[in-house]
Amino acid sequence: MVQYQERLDSAFNAVADPTRRGVLERLGRNEQSITELADAFDMTLTGMKKHVRILEDAGLVKSQKTGRVRTCTLGPRRLAEEAAWIGRYQQMLEERLDRLGDFLE
């Protein structure tokens, strides 16, 4: 259970930042180098490397260095566990709203 919570925390932390969400969106279209990502977000290489590291730690991105170029692709995790977690809370909230509706009628 602790490992599950740590993975959720890591993934939600990773996608909490708009730049990292943008990186995921771009990598969903095609692989890109860190330089290309940094240019797209008008950011330094160091700044982009930090964002990529957080995404890598969450398993959402993987990178490979060939020569002097580090290329990034989507990682093995696809946020299925996180979507299921959100879905459980959405269902719970919908049930509460249904009960409130029944009460008000």
Side-chain angles (χ1 to χ4, degrees):
M1 183 68 158
V2 171
Q3 186 178 20
Y4 174 74
Q5 290 291 4
E6 288 174 359
R7 286 189 358 209
L8 280 178
D9 291 347
S10 176
F12 283 129
N13 176 57
V15 299
D17 184 85
T19 299
R20 292 191 287 269
R21 289 192 305 271
V23 167
L24 290 174
E25 187 175 322
R26 292 180 71 82
L27 294 179
R29 292 191 294 266
N30 61 336
E31 66 181 32
Q32 295 192 350
S33 70
I34 289 189
T35 302
E36 291 170 322
L37 291 169
D39 289 345
F41 291 93
D42 195 28
M43 183 177 289
T44 65
L45 287 174
T46 303
M48 183 53 68
K49 285 178 185 178
K50 289 178 183 179
H51 283 295
V52 168
R53 172 56 60 197
I54 291 168
L55 290 166
E56 282 183 309
D57 290 346
L60 301 174
V61 167
K62 60 182 179 176
S63 68
Q64 180 177 352
K65 189 170 185 179
T66 306
R68 297 180 69 186
V69 177
R70 181 166 293 281
T71 303
C72 301
T73 58
L74 286 180
R77 293 197 55 226
R78 296 291 191 261
L79 298 174
E81 291 174 1
E82 293 75 11
W85 184 86
I86 291 169
R88 285 192 301 274
Y89 280 91
Q90 180 178 0
Q91 181 181 0
M92 178 188 65
L93 291 173
E94 288 173 359
E95 289 170 0
R96 285 183 179 181
L97 286 174
D98 288 344
R99 287 195 306 262
L100 177 60
D102 291 344
F103 175 76
L104 293 175
E105 287 178 2

